[in-house]
Amino acid sequence: MGKLKTPLTELVGIEHPVVQTGMGWVAGARLVAATSNAGGLGILASATMTLEELQTAVSKVKAATDKPFGINIRADAGDANERVDLLIREGVKVASFALAPKPELIAKLKDAGVVVIPSVGAAKHAKKVAGWGADAVIVQGGEGGGHTGPVATTLLLPSVLDAVADTGMPVVAAGGFFDGRGLAAALSYGAAGVAMGTRFLLTSDSTVPEAVKQRYLQAALDGTVVSTRVDGMPHRVLRTGLVEKLESGSRARGFTAAVLNAQKFKKMSGMTWRSMIKDGMAMRHGKELTWSQVVMAANTPMLLKAGLVEGNTDAGVLASGQVAGIIDDLPSCAELIENIVADAVERLRAAAALVQ
């Protein structure tokens, strides 16, 4: 099998330009270590972990692999600085962020030799974080699962690549990727690699309950919906009974359920109401959310946990990219990455042969 050397593999020191995203409740130590051992970049999801749980997860990953891995941190979390300190102390290679971290935080990480990779949803945001010193960006098109934007990867990716062309910053494409064709296409656009969430959720190394994986595999290409009823922001999820109920029910009823789930989240995370309100105010300031949306945001971890951890697809929410409708197997991370890279190499060679 040929190798693919890109600015991403060079920057992070990984073998293949394939990233496993930091999905809450899914991207734990086992999946991250399996991805990194397979030559990709595994990213731990810290937003659904307490600081102690994150420390334990990092120790487990380090015990299982000596390859580079990353941690995804919520830049607006009240304890973001403590999480960054832990990441630096443990010598973790990559810090990834769903929301762009402030320039001071980027500078702190870079001073410690950490590679900083925020996720962005628009060209202007990519340009901004490039100016702040970010090392690379992940750009997710509307096909992606979880919080997502309205623009398809086929348009968002070139717009971001054009916006940062003069900076030389590597761009990683996400949203709709699951095989070698997608990786070859992303590299042809000028991306430095691909990031995948749902495809890694649907592997034998993922700890998501088997029955839930089967529910994903049964989904058709139109089996997801972008709902604002989960947490007030556009969220791509599988069409389950609960989601259909949320979509058709009254907003007042959804808000009441969100308040109850916020109480459960408070208990589970050990957070005080004061720290939750402080986090909520930071979120509200950053995204111009209503208070109703802020309360609903605390709803999300509990609804996702019910589905992805407890396996209750009736009471939970299953974040999913549209690719769930085309995936029909559960390979190991090693098999998945090897097949994707081999297929991409073959397709790039075939494409090069077309040039006269």
Side-chain angles (χ1 to χ4, degrees):
M1 179 178 86
K3 284 278 175 70
L4 294 168
K5 183 176 161 187
T6 76
L8 175 69
T9 60
E10 297 286 281
L11 175 69
V12 183
I14 52 178
E15 201 180 340
H16 307 301
V18 178
V19 178
Q20 163 254 304
T21 59
M23 301 163 277
W25 304 119
V26 177
R30 189 169 96 180
L31 184 63
V32 170
T35 302
S36 291
N37 277 329
L41 175 66
I43 297 178
L44 269 175
S46 85
T48 47
M49 296 178 189
T50 63
L51 203 56
E52 294 72 31
E53 286 167 345
L54 177 59
Q55 178 67 67
T56 302
V58 169
S59 300
K60 282 183 180 173
V61 176
K62 287 170 76 172
T65 185
D66 57 359
K67 305 279 181 71
F69 68 98
I71 299 177
N72 182 260
I73 295 170
R74 251 187 58 206
D76 61 348
D79 62 354
N81 271 308
E82 287 93 318
R83 289 169 188 260
V84 164
D85 289 341
L86 185 157
L87 184 151
I88 292 169
R89 188 172 65 245
E90 291 290 338
V92 176
K93 182 74 179 179
V94 174
S96 109
F97 293 90
L99 287 171
K102 293 283 182 280
E104 309 84 64
L105 203 53
I106 294 178
K108 179 178 177 176
L109 285 158
K110 291 193 68 168
D111 285 348
V114 178
V115 175
V116 181
I117 310 180
S119 293
V120 297
K124 63 181 180 182
H125 299 145
K127 218 171 170 60
K128 183 157 74 176
V129 296
W132 288 353
D135 295 291
V137 287
I138 294 173
V139 54
Q140 179 179 304
E143 300 94 321
H147 291 123
T148 197
V151 183
T153 305
T154 47
L155 297 172
L156 187 61
L157 179 58
S159 75
V160 170
L161 286 163
D162 289 347
V164 298
D166 57 339
T167 68
M169 182 172 72
V171 175
V172 180
F177 295 100
F178 63 98
D179 66 358
R181 290 173 293 188
L183 175 55
L187 296 176
S188 298
Y189 269 103
V194 295
M196 305 184 297
T198 307
R199 177 65 277 197
F200 276 104
L201 184 155
L202 293 172
T203 59
S204 59
D205 294 304
S206 148
T207 56
V208 170
E210 200 58 34
V212 176
K213 290 179 187 176
Q214 292 305 320
R215 176 66 187 79
Y216 274 88
L217 293 178
Q218 288 158 15
L221 269 176
D222 61 355
T224 64
V225 62
V226 176
S227 174
T228 56
R229 293 296 182 93
V230 177
D231 61 5
M233 291 171 278
H235 203 115
R236 186 177 289 285
V237 294
L238 283 186
R239 290 181 188 274
T240 58
L242 173 69
V243 170
E244 301 290 2
K245 208 183 291 179
L246 286 172
E247 285 290 288
S248 60
S250 75
R251 286 192 180 275
R253 207 169 75 191
F255 184 68
T256 306
V259 172
L260 294 172
N261 272 320
Q263 287 176 314
K264 286 185 200 165
F265 180 59
K266 170 184 172 286
K267 195 173 173 185
M268 179 202 75
S269 62
M271 291 173 81
T272 61
W273 279 115
R274 189 178 170 187
S275 62
M276 280 181 73
I277 289 165
K278 191 177 163 193
D279 271 11
M281 287 178 77
M283 286 178 70
R284 190 167 183 257
H285 173 71
K287 300 178 194 160
E288 296 169 359
L289 304 180
T290 64
W291 276 113
S292 161
Q293 288 173 317
V294 168
V295 173
M296 285 179 80
N299 197 20
T300 313
M302 300 316 297
L303 290 176
L304 289 170
K305 186 183 186 207
L308 296 170
V309 180
E310 292 154 12
N312 189 342
T313 54
D314 296 327
V317 166
L318 303 171
S320 176
Q322 287 181 306
V323 295
I326 209 165
I327 294 170
D328 60 5
D329 61 348
L330 298 169
S332 67
C333 289
E335 291 164 340
L336 175 67
I337 292 176
E338 189 179 326
N339 291 341
I340 284 177
V341 173
D343 190 26
V345 167
E346 211 173 284
R347 288 173 187 277
L348 289 167
R349 281 180 177 149
L354 297 173
V355 181
Q356 295 297 303

